[in-house]
Amino acid sequence: MKSEYRPHWLIVAPCAVLAFTTSSARAADPLPSWNDGAAKRSIVAFVEKVTRPGSAEFVPAPERIATFDNDGTLWCEKPLPVQLYFLVDRIRTLAPQHPEWQTTEPFASVLKGDVGAALSGGERGIMEMFMATHTGTTTDEFARIVQDWIATAKHPKTGRLNTQMVYQPMLEVLSYLRANGFKTFIVSGGGVEFMRPWAERVYGVPPEQVVGSSVKTKFELRAGTPVLVRLPELNFNDDKGGKPVGINEHIGRRPVMAFGNSDGDQQMLEWTAAGPGARFALYLHHDDNVREFAYDRQDSLARLDKGLDEAKAKGWTVVSMKDDWTTVFPSVK
Amino acid sequence: MKSEYRPHWLIVAPCAVLAFTTSSARAADPLPSWNDGAAKRSIVAFVEKVTRPGSAEFVPAPERIATFDNDGTLWCEKPLPVQLYFLVDRIRTLAPQHPEWQTTEPFASVLKGDVGAALSGGERGIMEMFMATHTGTTTDEFARIVQDWIATAKHPKTGRLNTQMVYQPMLEVLSYLRANGFKTFIVSGGGVEFMRPWAERVYGVPPEQVVGSSVKTKFELRAGTPVLVRLPELNFNDDKGGKPVGINEHIGRRPVMAFGNSDGDQQMLEWTAAGPGARFALYLHHDDNVREFAYDRQDSLARLDKGLDEAKAKGWTVVSMKDDWTTVFPSVK
């Protein structure tokens, strides 16, 4: 697949650290990594109007639900979404038990190091790889596999841990909303059991506030001990029209605020914006080729045409990563 | 179906009111409607040991998850579970649009007033009635239908609102746990969208903490307005082995405490009790023919054999409604 990556990380790092260390000097600003532009002002103005008692658009605390896409909204999804690197590493780990993978696509391409070719075969092959690598264990075993992997997995270009490739400005939005009585949820096309083992540590979002795609699971007694076994069958695809469905099923309230960055988030943003009373929809536009990756409607993997067009047409808050963020990634301790 | 109801409500009512009004005199007791027996002591001892800092069995607040079955655990499920009365009323309401129901079972029996006959036809007919009465609307429309119905729906024997047929001692447990940092969840075989419209008002459990059975829903744009349409297809049956599955899918943490009253709750209790560290499982035994309904292993609708046997064998807390509760229902204002 086409990469638009430009390796300017070393140039950017000092600026990022500077922006981060000076944040304590302006403690009153809940969003120090945001430039004082229209996007930041729209977030603050919205939160102030829905939380000010007596405001015509006041929203009681229990109804303050905010939903965030994960890949490309809370952390970096380029060159590939992180869960695909997990999938690739799982294929390599499990390969000795599957000699047939050496000659069976799409596994053979992965084992030859050509992930692009493996992915280009389409949805069916990708789903086959997901089922072969994400199921067959108990839920407890899978959580440990994810925990072990995420503890050391690094971004292929920056060498940072993937959990350090999260967006500092969005971490600030999460904290700011929680400080204002919001419950923050992740609503992602990614696997719910891939995200839950680390989402609380990295984002402050507890497992019960993570909504995602899932496989079917089955309750079993093994020698008298109850386990939940992950079956090789898709249970729920939490993407596009599935996002409002997942929100309704898991949260049971329409969000007051929603944050996304692709066509996969479009229906979540529509569903949120169409609610009665004050609603807020934000679309993050990846236009920063220097500090992250610029990708847009011509992108090969993500679908980005309709969401961005609708965001502009409907006056949702559109964030330019390049212009609106002083810092992209947190400083590394 | 067999009813073991004994109409002693008038005799009991003064005692109930007395017990309720004297509760303020012993404000230090978080469970005033519980007799000072083994059941009450086991609840208090467990909560104290998992919340006391420095305790060997201390559980950090984010992990304090408590799950409650609804029918027969939080509110009365006799003579029939409340949702079946809703179903019956929906059939009557919709009958003019379905002239074929007059001669088609199980609808015809319902319209003749013989609900027992309609239910005796088995699971398939019951599911057919559920789909005919619980789907075809948007989620917003269905919530309004439930709200309107629950506002006036009364118990057929006591004449109380169904929302007043909740168990006062269990309301106290819910409050007591929340005051000790627990998140309280409902995990019920009942419909999640049947419970959410009133669970927050009645139990203090917000929609995002209600897990239940569900039908599939579909995102649609109607004249540009997004809606979620309820489809006549079961999505998830949150009963028996489905309860741990639903807990894992929605909450993503194993409960520390679980409360049930039937074989439908057995796997939830097993799953909870089998977790590492301190765990608590409670089984409510309906043995009070005077103040509620005594029903046990010979019951025709609920399945109660295995759960109670396992509760006793494993030393879970078994509550005798007759002996452990000073009051069953809250006083009516």
Side-chain angles (χ1 to χ4, degrees):
Chain A
M1 63 177 301
K2 176 174 49 184
S3 169
E4 298 178 86
Y5 174 74
R6 302 288 183 280
H8 292 281
W9 300 100
L10 289 177
I11 298 167
V12 174
C15 311
V17 172
L18 183 67
F20 198 74
T21 51
T22 57
S23 66
S24 61
R26 31 178 178 153
D29 182 357
L31 303 175
S33 299
W34 291 72
N35 280 315
D36 186 25
K40 174 177 182 169
R41 284 196 297 268
S42 77
I43 297 169
V44 173
F46 184 87
V47 170
E48 288 181 351
K49 82 176 173 182
V50 298
T51 58
R52 193 172 48 238
S55 156
E57 290 174 294
F58 180 76
V59 175
E63 292 169 26
R64 291 179 202 158
I65 302 291
T67 56
F68 293 79
D69 169 58
N70 185 37
D71 296 309
T73 299
L74 292 180
W75 74 352
C76 180
E77 63 178 346
K78 292 292 173 186
L80 291 176
V82 175
Q83 198 172 351
L84 287 178
Y85 293 109
F86 172 73
L87 177 152
V88 164
D89 284 349
R90 290 285 294 154
I91 289 178
R92 290 183 184 134
T93 301
L94 295 170
Q97 298 159 46
H98 294 275
E100 75 281 9
W101 285 356
Q102 300 293 335
T103 53
T104 312
E105 291 297 346
F107 301 93
S109 287
V110 170
L111 294 174
K112 280 175 205 137
D114 191 350
V115 177
L119 296 175
S120 66
E123 281 296 318
R124 199 174 136 190
I126 294 173
M127 189 56 66
E128 200 183 340
M129 291 192 287
F130 264 102
M131 293 304 152
T133 55
H134 283 65
T135 71
T137 63
T138 69
T139 51
D140 285 351
E141 288 163 354
F142 188 74
R144 278 193 295 273
I145 290 167
V146 171
Q147 274 161 355
D148 290 348
W149 185 83
I150 204 82
T152 61
K154 290 180 175 164
H155 190 274
K157 303 281 181 179
T158 67
R160 280 173 162 234
L161 291 172
N162 286 307
T163 50
Q164 295 166 336
M165 296 294 290
V166 296
Y167 303 135
Q168 175 63 28
M170 297 304 287
L171 297 181
E172 293 167 5
V173 171
L174 285 167
S175 295
Y176 175 52
L177 294 187
R178 289 194 287 259
N180 280 280
F182 278 83
K183 266 191 182 172
T184 52
F185 288 78
I186 292 170
V187 177
S188 168
V192 66
E193 300 208 56
F194 176 74
M195 296 180 283
R196 280 175 170 160
W198 49 268
E200 189 159 30
R201 173 172 59 85
V202 173
Y203 299 132
V205 176
E208 62 271 25
Q209 288 166 217
V210 180
V211 181
S213 296
S214 59
V215 296
K216 290 203 185 294
T217 60
K218 183 169 180 292
F219 178 84
E220 270 184 27
L221 288 176
R222 289 188 176 173
T225 300
V227 295
L228 292 170
V229 183
R230 293 170 56 80
L231 305 177
E233 186 185 345
L234 186 68
N235 178 60
F236 183 63
N237 183 14
D238 191 43
D239 198 28
K240 301 183 75 77
K243 290 206 174 191
V245 167
I247 288 169
N248 183 63
E249 194 174 319
H250 284 254
I251 308 176
R253 303 193 207 250
R254 195 190 296 243
V256 172
M257 304 182 82
F259 301 77
N261 81 304
S262 83
D263 286 7
D265 306 315
Q266 187 183 3
Q267 290 83 354
M268 171 172 79
L269 297 170
E270 288 172 346
W271 175 245
T272 299
R279 305 284 161 165
F280 180 92
L282 181 148
Y283 195 96
L284 173 57
H285 187 197
H286 291 264
D287 57 1
D288 193 330
N289 235 354
V290 177
R291 298 182 299 178
E292 205 230 14
F293 299 87
Y295 53 106
D296 204 320
R297 45 196 82 239
Q298 76 278 21
D299 188 74
S300 64
L301 197 65
R303 304 120 308 157
L304 305 148
D305 282 83
K306 296 181 192 165
L308 184 58
D309 288 346
E310 183 168 355
K312 287 178 177 169
K314 292 200 170 163
W316 297 343
T317 295
V318 177
V319 171
S320 159
M321 187 176 275
K322 190 167 137 194
D323 297 332
D324 285 313
W325 288 1
T326 63
T327 310
V328 173
F329 299 108
S331 64
V332 178
K333 288 136 207 161
Chain B
M1 62 176 301
K2 176 175 49 184
S3 170
E4 297 178 89
Y5 174 73
R6 301 287 183 279
H8 292 281
W9 300 100
L10 289 176
I11 299 167
V12 175
C15 312
V17 171
L18 183 67
F20 198 73
T21 51
T22 57
S23 66
S24 60
R26 30 178 178 153
D29 182 356
L31 304 174
S33 300
W34 290 72
N35 280 315
D36 186 27
K40 175 178 182 169
R41 284 196 297 269
S42 77
I43 297 169
V44 173
F46 184 87
V47 170
E48 288 181 351
K49 82 176 174 183
V50 298
T51 58
R52 192 173 47 238
S55 157
E57 290 175 294
F58 180 76
V59 175
E63 291 169 27
R64 292 180 202 157
I65 302 290
T67 56
F68 293 79
D69 168 57
N70 185 37
D71 296 309
T73 299
L74 292 180
W75 74 351
C76 180
E77 63 178 347
K78 290 290 171 188
L80 291 176
V82 176
Q83 197 172 351
L84 287 179
Y85 293 109
F86 172 74
L87 178 153
V88 164
D89 284 349
R90 289 286 293 155
I91 289 178
R92 291 183 184 134
T93 301
L94 295 170
Q97 299 159 46
H98 293 275
E100 75 280 9
W101 285 356
Q102 300 293 336
T103 53
T104 312
E105 290 298 344
F107 301 92
S109 287
V110 170
L111 294 175
K112 281 175 205 137
D114 190 350
V115 177
L119 295 176
S120 66
E123 282 296 317
R124 198 173 138 192
I126 294 174
M127 189 57 65
E128 200 183 339
M129 290 192 288
F130 264 103
M131 293 304 152
T133 55
H134 282 66
T135 70
T137 63
T138 69
T139 51
D140 285 349
E141 288 163 353
F142 188 73
R144 277 192 297 273
I145 290 167
V146 171
Q147 274 161 355
D148 289 348
W149 185 83
I150 203 82
T152 61
K154 291 178 176 167
H155 190 273
K157 303 282 180 182
T158 67
R160 282 174 161 234
L161 290 173
N162 286 307
T163 50
Q164 295 166 338
M165 295 295 291
V166 296
Y167 302 135
Q168 175 64 27
M170 296 305 287
L171 296 181
E172 293 168 4
V173 171
L174 285 166
S175 294
Y176 175 53
L177 294 187
R178 289 193 287 258
N180 280 281
F182 279 82
K183 266 192 183 173
T184 52
F185 287 78
I186 292 170
V187 178
S188 168
V192 66
E193 301 208 56
F194 176 74
M195 296 180 283
R196 280 176 170 159
W198 48 268
E200 190 160 27
R201 173 172 59 85
V202 173
Y203 298 132
V205 176
E208 62 270 26
Q209 287 165 220
V210 181
V211 181
S213 296
S214 58
V215 295
K216 290 203 186 292
T217 59
K218 183 170 180 289
F219 178 84
E220 271 184 27
L221 288 176
R222 289 187 175 173
T225 300
V227 294
L228 292 170
V229 182
R230 291 171 57 80
L231 305 177
E233 187 184 346
L234 186 68
N235 178 60
F236 182 64
N237 183 14
D238 191 43
D239 199 27
K240 300 182 76 75
K243 290 207 175 191
V245 167
I247 288 169
N248 183 63
E249 195 176 320
H250 283 254
I251 307 176
R253 305 195 206 249
R254 196 189 296 243
V256 172
M257 304 182 82
F259 301 76
N261 80 303
S262 82
D263 286 8
D265 306 315
Q266 188 183 2
Q267 291 82 355
M268 172 171 79
L269 297 170
E270 288 172 347
W271 175 245
T272 299
R279 305 283 161 165
F280 180 92
L282 181 148
Y283 195 96
L284 174 56
H285 188 196
H286 291 264
D287 58 0
D288 192 331
N289 236 353
V290 177
R291 299 182 299 177
E292 205 230 14
F293 299 86
Y295 54 106
D296 204 320
R297 46 194 82 240
Q298 76 279 20
D299 187 75
S300 64
L301 197 64
R303 304 121 306 160
L304 304 148
D305 282 82
K306 296 181 193 166
L308 184 58
D309 288 345
E310 183 167 355
K312 287 177 177 169
K314 293 200 171 163
W316 299 341
T317 294
V318 177
V319 172
S320 159
M321 187 176 276
K322 190 167 136 194
D323 297 333
D324 285 313
W325 289 0
T326 63
T327 310
V328 174
F329 300 107
S331 64
V332 178
K333 290 136 205 160

